[in-house]
Amino acid sequence: MIVVMEPGASEAQIERVSEYLVKHGFKINLNRGDVLTVIAAIGDKRLINPHSISSLEGVHDVKLIQEPYKMASKNAKDKDTIIEFKNGVKIGGDAKPVLMVGPCSVEKDYEGLLKVAIAAKEMGCQFLRGGAFKPRTSPYDFQGLEEKGLQYLAKASKETGLLVVTEVMDTLDIPLISKYADILQVGARNMQNFKLLKALGKIKKPVMLKRGPAATIKEFLLAAEHIMYNGNQNVILCERGIKSIDSDFTRNTLDIAAIPIIRKYSHLPIVVDPSHGTGRRYLIEPMGKAALIAGAHGLMFEVHHDPDNASSDGAQSLSIEQFREVAKSFNKLIGRIDYDNRNSKN
Amino acid sequence: MIVVMEPGASEAQIERVSEYLVKHGFKINLNRGDVLTVIAAIGDKRLINPHSISSLEGVHDVKLIQEPYKMASKNAKDKDTIIEFKNGVKIGGDAKPVLMVGPCSVEKDYEGLLKVAIAAKEMGCQFLRGGAFKPRTSPYDFQGLEEKGLQYLAKASKETGLLVVTEVMDTLDIPLISKYADILQVGARNMQNFKLLKALGKIKKPVMLKRGPAATIKEFLLAAEHIMYNGNQNVILCERGIKSIDSDFTRNTLDIAAIPIIRKYSHLPIVVDPSHGTGRRYLIEPMGKAALIAGAHGLMFEVHHDPDNASSDGAQSLSIEQFREVAKSFNKLIGRIDYDNRNSKN
Amino acid sequence: MIVVMEPGASEAQIERVSEYLVKHGFKINLNRGDVLTVIAAIGDKRLINPHSISSLEGVHDVKLIQEPYKMASKNAKDKDTIIEFKNGVKIGGDAKPVLMVGPCSVEKDYEGLLKVAIAAKEMGCQFLRGGAFKPRTSPYDFQGLEEKGLQYLAKASKETGLLVVTEVMDTLDIPLISKYADILQVGARNMQNFKLLKALGKIKKPVMLKRGPAATIKEFLLAAEHIMYNGNQNVILCERGIKSIDSDFTRNTLDIAAIPIIRKYSHLPIVVDPSHGTGRRYLIEPMGKAALIAGAHGLMFEVHHDPDNASSDGAQSLSIEQFREVAKSFNKLIGRIDYDNRNSKN
Amino acid sequence: MIVVMEPGASEAQIERVSEYLVKHGFKINLNRGDVLTVIAAIGDKRLINPHSISSLEGVHDVKLIQEPYKMASKNAKDKDTIIEFKNGVKIGGDAKPVLMVGPCSVEKDYEGLLKVAIAAKEMGCQFLRGGAFKPRTSPYDFQGLEEKGLQYLAKASKETGLLVVTEVMDTLDIPLISKYADILQVGARNMQNFKLLKALGKIKKPVMLKRGPAATIKEFLLAAEHIMYNGNQNVILCERGIKSIDSDFTRNTLDIAAIPIIRKYSHLPIVVDPSHGTGRRYLIEPMGKAALIAGAHGLMFEVHHDPDNASSDGAQSLSIEQFREVAKSFNKLIGRIDYDNRNSKN
């Protein structure tokens, strides 16, 4: 931590800050300049609140020099986290990128869901996604099928062999959803629902944490830290776009740079959702490819057997026919990435 | 709803969209122009998803022309909502703006809290605020005293006559917190925790909903709508700043314009938090005054008996001494606003 | 400057960075911690580029600890800059806040402009504003009357005694505009047109610099620095709203906190434009009052004799009748602020 | 244009708005609903200002339904614009993506520039970039070599056969820069310097327009429209990142989705700058690849013969050695894209 004193800070103020830091276990080093004094405080003490220091008299600014997340950081763990599922599918590290597809919401028509699942299996996807509990900005929107939706997912999974990803919205629903899902997803709007994160830290199943609509990467990694700190190391991150100054053509600005950044600073896998990340069907293919080539460990996107009549987010869902084309294009690229990875190692 | 067709949309596409709208209960009106065709669809049907329409072939764009919130809208209710508490204090409409003060977190030192409460009472404040359950961006920060914190708040309330505002973070804690609090606060990070909003719709106690760090005013009112739609009309909104492109000098950008906007479009009371809204102690006074003169129904800000040793957010808390000065300045302004209101009515 | 080395930085890397800093005139201080090494580099050397340092091997991050602006900073000048005009009107410091009004663009109808100017004078305003050269986002919008517009402003100024504020868009137009204007305004979109800023540094007339639509306060002050560094100290800043995640109800988010921040960190006067800052007529009054009470040295807003037929920005202009009401309300508040200022000094 | 009337708008108000629209050449269509009345106004009249309409009494909102840009729009021109240079190099449409490299600023050391140019030629790049006139946020930063810089670029171009891209900052410099450059670049901070855009509309040389740091895609295309409307159709767009809520790890958020969006809605070529778009050297390769696969017509990025001593932006420049690796990776991808394009056409 670097404490920058005000230009006119008095000796007494400098001493008081120094003592305060020492009292809290820091090793300090004073740098007196012509214009201002800087106190460098070194230590691995993460429990002090920098805001308390910036409120001391004479302090101009406090700058952190260590990442506030620890377990999610690459410094904590040399090797990338690779999560392996019962059927051998892997996410993370150099494992082949995965594809997670399905409707935004699981709906009453099971046959429709099954059609999507069968096509997904045929096209080489590994996961079936679909919301049974739906967070909706408006109370007038469809709120989800709840347990029935979970049963449909499980049934389609049994028929196809796909793994299941579905969202958990409340602490109370964790046991129920854990029975059916292979990955429990935390939605973007719940990224900082700390009670939920803590509770998910107590289970063993992998958790996929979506980035909040206005979360910085630091806040995103800190949210993952809440889960890890409470005991569950199987966290998958999911970039899904952030709010920006432009929303004429897309719902969000998909932050592709987050992928190489997270791969540099964290060992956790990072998956990308080009459906929510753009809100436009025609952008799924180019943005999915951009994500893959930038290093994403997988893609999650929406496919619906009848998008025009989807109960949510039809505009960003692919029809099954469109999906086949897009999946073909993704598979080709994944094949090349895989080929290059293998070759670069020789 | 206005459906704008693509420039080259075919007759068949136009017909299909028209039929779709009629089937969903809309009265439609076709406008064929030289360049493009526009379908105006009128009706009070809020349950259709505009995204489903924008995914129909030939549709270029769908524009909503009605606010998606209904119960929170001024159109739904002519008169401003005024919430009255057991001791006669009122929030909303033309009631005199209220002041809500206290520490960010309730801490182990009860005497400190009491000192703040006594000063608050002396300076004419109506509410004591303080967090017993704390949402923290980092798992390494102080997480709150939980029920003991609630008991402290209740005790200080009993000794001073102040009403209590405190945060609820989880559905499970609602009954417990309801026993102690006069207002249940929903934190900014939970603004779209829809399970929590629904559950708060089932109780009778007033709920203060803080604006999410990146929520638009529309999303903010829709979040209120979730509570109201589920049965609780006693919602108080709280503006607390949004994330913006500048965070060098403040934690958030306090959106003062949200106050007159919400007062124009909604009947709900709107309170402002200049502590979180700026993150800087010296900005509480000027921004609090700006909020009051722009029409805020109250201010909530942080006061700590020993800010240098606060367990959270010391940098944005006032000491008791500073608080007295700031409260004096707020009271003077409130007195003038009150005087002008009374005079403008004659 | 604080240079934070990577956790695994080698001795050679640390030495190289240290040498580099010393070579550039810095006094350095090494802090070796268990986890990482930090080099504090102190000096008043503003000419080094921190990016050059962050590209040295082994460097993790570089943090500046001094404001990059110098002449605009309060550290450079104890007393607030107060700009005095030929007729004794002052802007800045504790001078009574000024009002600058007029149409967005000067139009062909001189009588209309004169009506506005006469009303402005009657209501105690000091400045007539109006664009003769107009920056327009679209080439299809009205582009301004150019010199004829300047002549109209000068004529209306002569008849009423108001001072003139008008925008300069190009280096070439400075001599012409200087003949007519008392303040040369730099539009928000030109805030970082450095050629223009430099050229304005060579003149003596006051320059009013509008904040860019996405400029941080630091960038805003640095833009002012370009003018001051080139010789012209008479700079007035103008906050006019920034782009944010919400544009449903306003064109921009008026950053009221920028006022007390700039008054704390700079000696330059700061004026606020609630017309462009909101884009809505009904917000001019509440936001103008919020700006004044937060410390603004003046307000600039749009008044048009016939807003429905204005050639630009009618929606954010007041009619003359509306203006009289709003000005009355501003004058009342200015009177109270003035009264409080005088009393607080005794 | 869609004019939405207030819920309680009177007949007289509706009539007045209708008349106003008809007077301005619109064909109108009234839609009276239970709750509100909507007037659809169709016509190709771009000269009316929607703000004038929204200021009429009884108007709630005005929604545009046509893109405000015309010449930049795909509707105006079926075929993609392909710009061809004297040596046969092409930018746009299905032409092979180009690479533009060089230092941020041209510096005194000509030999350094030449080394970069030779390596660029060897690696198959088509353009040499470098700033002779530099826009700098701070007046204390290096401001450029001016004409001498242009001469250096021309000399290096002559020795290698590379084409030259360099920035123009002021109307006055256009003739001089036109003598030396093959593409005149407009910097991000000048994207809305309309005087400059107009003047560039009068020349024939291609102009590369960089997206403003907070410009929406609509504003970006409108800025291009200013150049085209004034006569120059040879406009190349350049995405270089926008400001967002996160700047911890990057200088800007590179908006990769802008590429497929612009390719869908405009016929103009779109190039991407991953150096400024991220501000981090290690992100140039992944983000450059993401841009290419998403459809970029070229990449522009910074290469310096000695980044540690660059006079600007060293942290985002590649050394020549690093450049060779990155260029190899780009060329491999460009080869595959080219291969796929050719094959998909059969």
Side-chain angles (χ1 to χ4, degrees):
Chain A
M1 201 183 312
I2 301 295
V3 182
V4 183
M5 302 299 294
E6 294 279 358
S10 70
E11 268 311 300
Q13 289 172 339
I14 294 170
E15 244 165 71
R16 178 149 181 247
V17 174
S18 303
E19 277 166 23
Y20 185 91
L21 288 164
V22 169
K23 198 180 84 189
H24 283 79
F26 284 84
K27 196 171 124 191
I28 67 162
N29 212 316
L30 246 80
N31 302 269
R32 292 172 196 274
D34 307 330
V35 187
L36 36 75
T37 294
V38 170
I39 308 171
I42 305 226
D44 198 20
K45 310 284 167 288
R46 281 159 213 265
L47 290 161
I48 203 171
N49 188 330
H51 290 303
S52 323
I53 298 162
S54 60
S55 72
L56 295 173
E57 294 292 319
V59 172
H60 177 70
D61 203 1
V62 177
K63 293 173 188 291
L64 295 178
I65 52 179
Q66 267 184 317
E67 288 87 6
Y69 43 89
K70 191 172 173 175
M71 303 174 80
S73 164
K74 204 123 193 175
N75 292 335
K77 186 166 171 261
D78 265 3
K79 282 215 279 190
D80 279 344
T81 290
I82 299 177
I83 297 172
E84 187 166 351
F85 295 85
K86 53 191 181 194
N87 60 359
V89 166
K90 289 176 193 170
I91 301 184
D94 284 331
K96 212 180 75 165
V98 297
L99 299 179
M100 304 169 160
V101 304
C104 180
S105 307
V106 179
E107 296 162 18
K108 269 179 274 177
D109 172 12
Y110 172 70
E111 293 310 313
L113 180 69
L114 185 61
K115 273 183 207 160
V116 170
I118 290 169
K121 186 66 191 177
E122 282 172 14
M123 297 309 298
C125 301
Q126 295 83 357
F127 291 86
L128 178 65
R129 57 144 288 150
F133 297 83
K134 294 300 302 173
R136 304 309 301 266
T137 303
S138 162
Y140 304 104
D141 290 342
F142 175 63
Q143 314 280 320
L145 282 190
E146 314 214 334
E147 185 162 9
K148 189 159 202 173
L150 296 173
Q151 289 164 346
Y152 280 8
L153 286 168
K155 204 170 151 196
S157 154
K158 210 167 175 187
E159 297 203 35
T160 57
L162 293 173
L163 297 160
V164 168
V165 190
T166 197
E167 180 166 351
V168 57
M169 284 174 66
D170 196 273
T171 311
L172 289 176
D173 302 329
I174 295 176
L176 177 70
I177 297 177
S178 295
K179 281 203 318 198
Y180 295 99
D182 297 288
I183 299 179
L184 283 80
Q185 174 183 322
V186 177
R189 298 190 195 81
N190 273 325
M191 192 199 85
Q192 292 190 317
N193 181 340
F194 300 114
K195 286 266 179 175
L196 182 60
L197 301 181
K198 271 187 209 177
L200 290 168
K202 311 292 188 200
I203 65 168
K204 296 271 165 285
K205 287 234 165 154
V207 174
M208 181 157 70
L209 180 67
K210 297 193 92 172
R211 181 175 180 184
T216 61
I217 291 173
K218 203 181 275 177
E219 291 166 335
F220 191 18
L221 290 171
L222 275 169
E225 191 87 358
H226 272 274
I227 302 171
M228 300 172 81
Y229 179 74
N230 283 285
N232 187 349
Q233 310 305 311
N234 296 317
V235 178
I236 300 160
L237 302 169
C238 179
E239 161 66 32
R240 46 75 74 201
I242 50 173
K243 287 197 181 188
S244 86
I245 46 102
D246 198 356
S247 57
D248 288 332
F249 292 96
T250 50
R251 278 173 71 178
N252 292 292
T253 295
L254 192 61
D255 184 11
I256 295 288
I259 307 161
I261 292 169
I262 285 170
R263 293 201 60 168
K264 184 178 169 71
Y265 290 100
S266 175
H267 52 85
L268 296 174
I270 167 88
V271 159
V272 173
D273 175 348
S275 289
H276 285 91
T278 64
R280 295 293 181 280
R281 190 183 289 163
Y282 79 94
L283 292 172
I284 294 176
E285 183 182 345
M287 295 307 286
K289 285 159 73 179
L292 287 171
I293 213 159
H297 291 109
L299 297 180
M300 178 161 80
F301 56 100
E302 297 185 1
V303 179
H304 194 279
H305 67 285
D306 181 13
D308 291 356
N309 293 303
S311 57
S312 57
D313 287 345
Q316 66 193 35
S317 296
L318 298 171
S319 69
I320 291 179
E321 217 166 305
Q322 291 163 334
F323 158 67
R324 288 185 191 274
E325 285 311 302
V326 169
K328 215 178 287 177
S329 156
F330 288 160
N331 284 329
K332 186 178 193 176
L333 179 58
I334 290 172
R336 284 172 173 174
I337 290 171
D338 206 39
Y339 173 86
D340 290 347
N341 275 352
R342 272 180 285 111
N343 275 28
S344 73
K345 288 212 179 109
N346 302 333
Chain B
M1 201 182 309
I2 301 295
V3 182
V4 184
M5 302 298 296
E6 293 278 358
S10 69
E11 268 313 298
Q13 288 172 339
I14 294 170
E15 243 165 71
R16 182 154 176 240
V17 174
S18 303
E19 276 165 24
Y20 186 91
L21 288 164
V22 169
K23 199 181 85 188
H24 283 80
F26 284 84
K27 197 171 122 191
I28 67 161
N29 211 316
L30 247 81
N31 301 270
R32 292 172 196 275
D34 305 331
V35 187
L36 37 73
T37 293
V38 170
I39 308 172
I42 306 227
D44 198 22
K45 311 283 167 289
R46 280 159 213 267
L47 290 160
I48 202 171
N49 188 329
H51 289 303
S52 323
I53 299 163
S54 61
S55 71
L56 295 173
E57 294 293 319
V59 172
H60 176 71
D61 201 1
V62 178
K63 292 173 188 292
L64 293 179
I65 52 178
Q66 268 185 317
E67 288 85 8
Y69 44 88
K70 193 172 172 174
M71 302 175 81
S73 165
K74 204 123 193 176
N75 291 334
K77 186 165 171 259
D78 264 5
K79 284 215 278 188
D80 278 346
T81 290
I82 299 177
I83 297 173
E84 189 166 349
F85 294 85
K86 54 192 181 195
N87 61 358
V89 165
K90 289 176 193 169
I91 301 183
D94 284 332
K96 215 180 75 165
V98 297
L99 299 179
M100 303 168 159
V101 304
C104 181
S105 307
V106 179
E107 295 162 17
K108 269 179 274 176
D109 172 12
Y110 172 70
E111 293 310 313
L113 180 69
L114 186 61
K115 273 185 208 160
V116 170
I118 289 170
K121 186 64 190 178
E122 281 172 12
M123 296 310 297
C125 301
Q126 295 82 358
F127 291 86
L128 178 65
R129 59 143 288 151
F133 296 85
K134 294 302 303 172
R136 304 309 301 266
T137 303
S138 162
Y140 304 104
D141 291 340
F142 174 63
Q143 315 279 320
L145 281 191
E146 313 216 333
E147 185 163 6
K148 189 158 201 173
L150 296 173
Q151 290 164 346
Y152 280 8
L153 285 170
K155 204 169 151 196
S157 155
K158 210 168 174 186
E159 297 204 35
T160 57
L162 293 172
L163 297 159
V164 167
V165 191
T166 198
E167 181 167 351
V168 56
M169 284 174 68
D170 196 272
T171 310
L172 288 176
D173 302 329
I174 294 177
L176 176 70
I177 297 177
S178 295
K179 279 204 317 197
Y180 295 99
D182 297 288
I183 299 178
L184 283 81
Q185 174 182 322
V186 177
R189 298 190 196 80
N190 272 326
M191 191 199 83
Q192 292 190 316
N193 181 340
F194 300 114
K195 286 267 181 177
L196 183 59
L197 300 182
K198 271 188 212 178
L200 289 168
K202 311 292 190 201
I203 65 167
K204 296 271 165 285
K205 286 235 166 154
V207 174
M208 181 156 71
L209 179 67
K210 297 192 93 174
R211 182 175 179 182
T216 62
I217 291 173
K218 204 182 275 178
E219 291 165 337
F220 192 16
L221 290 172
L222 275 169
E225 191 87 359
H226 273 275
I227 302 171
M228 300 173 81
Y229 179 75
N230 283 286
N232 187 350
Q233 309 305 310
N234 296 317
V235 177
I236 300 160
L237 302 169
C238 179
E239 161 66 32
R240 46 72 77 200
I242 50 174
K243 288 198 181 188
S244 85
I245 46 102
D246 197 356
S247 56
D248 288 332
F249 293 96
T250 51
R251 280 172 70 178
N252 292 293
T253 296
L254 192 61
D255 184 11
I256 295 288
I259 307 162
I261 292 169
I262 285 171
R263 292 202 60 168
K264 183 178 169 70
Y265 290 100
S266 175
H267 51 86
L268 295 174
I270 167 88
V271 158
V272 172
D273 176 348
S275 289
H276 285 91
T278 65
R280 294 294 181 277
R281 191 183 288 163
Y282 79 95
L283 291 173
I284 294 176
E285 183 182 345
M287 295 308 284
K289 285 160 72 180
L292 287 171
I293 213 158
H297 292 109
L299 297 180
M300 179 160 80
F301 56 99
E302 297 184 1
V303 178
H304 195 280
H305 67 286
D306 181 12
D308 291 357
N309 292 304
S311 57
S312 58
D313 287 344
Q316 66 193 33
S317 297
L318 299 171
S319 69
I320 291 179
E321 216 166 306
Q322 292 163 332
F323 159 66
R324 288 185 190 275
E325 284 311 301
V326 169
K328 214 180 286 176
S329 155
F330 288 160
N331 282 331
K332 186 179 195 175
L333 179 59
I334 290 173
R336 283 172 174 176
I337 290 171
D338 207 39
Y339 173 86
D340 289 347
N341 274 353
R342 273 182 283 111
N343 276 28
S344 73
K345 287 211 178 110
N346 302 332
Chain C
M1 201 181 311
I2 302 295
V3 182
V4 184
M5 303 298 295
E6 294 279 358
S10 69
E11 267 313 299
Q13 288 172 338
I14 294 169
E15 242 165 72
R16 178 148 181 247
V17 174
S18 303
E19 276 165 23
Y20 186 92
L21 288 164
V22 168
K23 199 181 85 188
H24 283 80
F26 284 84
K27 200 172 121 189
I28 67 160
N29 212 316
L30 247 81
N31 301 271
R32 291 172 197 276
D34 307 332
V35 187
L36 36 74
T37 293
V38 170
I39 308 172
I42 305 228
D44 197 20
K45 311 282 167 293
R46 281 159 211 265
L47 290 161
I48 202 172
N49 187 330
H51 289 302
S52 322
I53 299 162
S54 60
S55 72
L56 295 173
E57 294 293 320
V59 172
H60 177 70
D61 202 1
V62 178
K63 293 176 189 290
L64 293 179
I65 52 177
Q66 269 184 316
E67 288 86 8
Y69 43 89
K70 191 173 175 175
M71 303 174 80
S73 164
K74 205 120 189 179
N75 292 335
K77 188 166 169 257
D78 265 4
K79 284 215 279 191
D80 278 345
T81 290
I82 299 177
I83 297 173
E84 187 165 351
F85 295 85
K86 55 192 179 193
N87 61 0
V89 166
K90 289 176 192 169
I91 301 183
D94 284 332
K96 212 180 76 165
V98 297
L99 298 179
M100 303 168 160
V101 303
C104 180
S105 306
V106 179
E107 295 162 19
K108 269 179 276 177
D109 172 12
Y110 172 69
E111 293 311 311
L113 180 69
L114 185 61
K115 274 185 208 157
V116 170
I118 289 169
K121 186 65 190 177
E122 282 172 13
M123 297 309 298
C125 300
Q126 295 82 359
F127 290 86
L128 179 65
R129 58 143 289 150
F133 297 84
K134 296 300 305 172
R136 304 309 301 267
T137 303
S138 162
Y140 303 105
D141 290 341
F142 175 63
Q143 313 279 319
L145 281 191
E146 313 216 334
E147 186 164 6
K148 189 159 201 175
L150 296 173
Q151 289 164 348
Y152 279 9
L153 285 169
K155 206 170 148 194
S157 155
K158 210 167 173 188
E159 296 203 36
T160 57
L162 294 172
L163 297 160
V164 168
V165 190
T166 197
E167 181 168 350
V168 57
M169 285 175 65
D170 196 273
T171 310
L172 288 175
D173 302 328
I174 294 177
L176 177 70
I177 296 176
S178 295
K179 278 203 322 195
Y180 295 98
D182 296 289
I183 299 179
L184 282 81
Q185 174 183 322
V186 177
R189 297 191 196 80
N190 272 326
M191 192 200 84
Q192 292 190 316
N193 181 339
F194 300 114
K195 285 266 180 175
L196 183 60
L197 300 181
K198 271 187 209 177
L200 289 167
K202 311 292 188 198
I203 65 168
K204 295 270 164 288
K205 287 234 164 151
V207 174
M208 181 157 71
L209 180 67
K210 297 191 92 175
R211 182 174 180 185
T216 62
I217 291 173
K218 204 182 275 179
E219 291 165 336
F220 191 18
L221 290 172
L222 275 169
E225 191 88 359
H226 272 274
I227 302 171
M228 299 173 82
Y229 178 76
N230 283 285
N232 187 350
Q233 308 306 310
N234 296 315
V235 178
I236 300 160
L237 302 169
C238 179
E239 161 64 34
R240 46 73 75 199
I242 50 174
K243 287 196 184 191
S244 85
I245 46 101
D246 197 356
S247 56
D248 287 333
F249 293 96
T250 51
R251 280 173 70 178
N252 292 292
T253 296
L254 192 60
D255 184 9
I256 296 289
I259 307 162
I261 292 169
I262 285 171
R263 292 202 61 167
K264 184 177 168 72
Y265 290 99
S266 175
H267 51 85
L268 296 175
I270 167 88
V271 158
V272 172
D273 175 348
S275 290
H276 285 90
T278 65
R280 295 295 182 276
R281 191 183 287 162
Y282 80 93
L283 291 173
I284 294 176
E285 184 182 342
M287 295 308 284
K289 284 159 72 180
L292 287 171
I293 215 159
H297 291 108
L299 297 180
M300 179 160 79
F301 56 100
E302 297 185 0
V303 179
H304 194 280
H305 68 285
D306 182 12
D308 290 356
N309 292 302
S311 56
S312 57
D313 286 345
Q316 66 192 37
S317 297
L318 298 171
S319 69
I320 291 179
E321 218 166 305
Q322 291 163 333
F323 159 65
R324 287 184 192 275
E325 285 311 302
V326 169
K328 216 179 285 177
S329 155
F330 287 160
N331 283 330
K332 188 178 193 176
L333 179 58
I334 289 173
R336 283 173 174 173
I337 290 172
D338 206 39
Y339 173 87
D340 290 346
N341 275 353
R342 272 181 284 112
N343 276 29
S344 72
K345 290 213 175 103
N346 301 334
Chain D
M1 200 182 309
I2 301 294
V3 181
V4 184
M5 302 299 295
E6 293 280 359
S10 69
E11 268 312 298
Q13 288 172 338
I14 295 170
E15 244 165 71
R16 181 153 178 243
V17 174
S18 303
E19 276 166 24
Y20 186 91
L21 289 164
V22 169
K23 199 180 87 189
H24 284 79
F26 284 84
K27 199 171 121 191
I28 66 160
N29 212 315
L30 246 81
N31 302 271
R32 291 172 197 275
D34 305 331
V35 188
L36 37 74
T37 293
V38 170
I39 308 171
I42 305 228
D44 198 21
K45 310 283 168 289
R46 279 160 212 267
L47 290 160
I48 203 172
N49 188 328
H51 289 302
S52 322
I53 298 163
S54 60
S55 71
L56 295 173
E57 294 293 319
V59 172
H60 177 70
D61 203 1
V62 178
K63 293 174 187 291
L64 294 178
I65 52 180
Q66 268 185 314
E67 288 87 7
Y69 43 90
K70 192 173 176 174
M71 304 174 81
S73 164
K74 205 123 191 179
N75 292 335
K77 188 167 169 258
D78 264 4
K79 285 214 281 190
D80 278 346
T81 290
I82 299 177
I83 296 173
E84 186 165 353
F85 294 86
K86 55 194 180 193
N87 60 359
V89 166
K90 289 177 193 168
I91 301 183
D94 284 332
K96 213 180 74 165
V98 297
L99 298 179
M100 303 168 160
V101 304
C104 180
S105 308
V106 179
E107 295 162 18
K108 269 179 274 177
D109 172 13
Y110 172 69
E111 293 310 313
L113 180 69
L114 186 61
K115 274 185 208 159
V116 171
I118 288 170
K121 187 65 191 177
E122 282 173 13
M123 296 310 297
C125 302
Q126 295 83 358
F127 291 86
L128 178 65
R129 59 144 289 153
F133 297 84
K134 294 301 303 172
R136 304 308 303 266
T137 302
S138 162
Y140 304 104
D141 289 341
F142 175 63
Q143 313 280 318
L145 281 190
E146 313 215 336
E147 186 164 7
K148 190 159 202 174
L150 296 173
Q151 290 164 347
Y152 280 8
L153 286 169
K155 205 169 150 194
S157 155
K158 210 167 174 186
E159 296 204 36
T160 57
L162 292 174
L163 297 159
V164 168
V165 191
T166 197
E167 179 167 351
V168 56
M169 285 175 65
D170 195 274
T171 311
L172 289 175
D173 301 329
I174 295 176
L176 177 70
I177 297 176
S178 295
K179 281 204 316 198
Y180 296 99
D182 296 289
I183 298 179
L184 283 81
Q185 173 183 321
V186 177
R189 298 191 197 81
N190 273 325
M191 192 199 84
Q192 293 191 316
N193 180 340
F194 300 113
K195 286 266 180 176
L196 183 60
L197 301 181
K198 271 187 209 177
L200 290 167
K202 311 292 189 197
I203 65 168
K204 295 271 163 286
K205 287 235 165 152
V207 174
M208 182 157 72
L209 179 67
K210 297 193 92 174
R211 182 175 180 184
T216 62
I217 291 173
K218 203 182 275 178
E219 291 165 335
F220 191 18
L221 290 172
L222 275 169
E225 191 87 0
H226 272 275
I227 302 171
M228 300 172 83
Y229 179 76
N230 283 285
N232 188 349
Q233 309 305 310
N234 296 316
V235 178
I236 300 160
L237 302 169
C238 179
E239 161 65 33
R240 44 75 74 199
I242 50 174
K243 287 197 182 189
S244 84
I245 46 102
D246 198 357
S247 56
D248 287 333
F249 293 96
T250 52
R251 279 173 69 177
N252 292 292
T253 296
L254 192 60
D255 184 10
I256 295 289
I259 307 162
I261 292 169
I262 285 170
R263 292 203 59 169
K264 183 178 169 71
Y265 290 100
S266 175
H267 51 86
L268 296 174
I270 168 87
V271 158
V272 172
D273 175 348
S275 290
H276 285 91
T278 64
R280 294 296 182 276
R281 192 183 288 162
Y282 79 94
L283 292 173
I284 294 175
E285 184 182 344
M287 295 307 284
K289 284 159 73 180
L292 287 170
I293 214 158
H297 291 108
L299 297 180
M300 178 160 81
F301 56 100
E302 297 185 359
V303 179
H304 195 279
H305 66 285
D306 181 11
D308 291 356
N309 292 303
S311 56
S312 57
D313 287 344
Q316 65 192 37
S317 297
L318 299 171
S319 69
I320 291 178
E321 218 166 305
Q322 292 163 331
F323 159 66
R324 288 184 191 276
E325 285 312 302
V326 169
K328 216 179 286 176
S329 155
F330 288 159
N331 283 330
K332 187 179 194 175
L333 179 58
I334 289 172
R336 283 173 174 174
I337 290 171
D338 207 38
Y339 173 85
D340 290 346
N341 275 351
R342 272 182 284 111
N343 276 28
S344 72
K345 287 209 179 108
N346 301 334

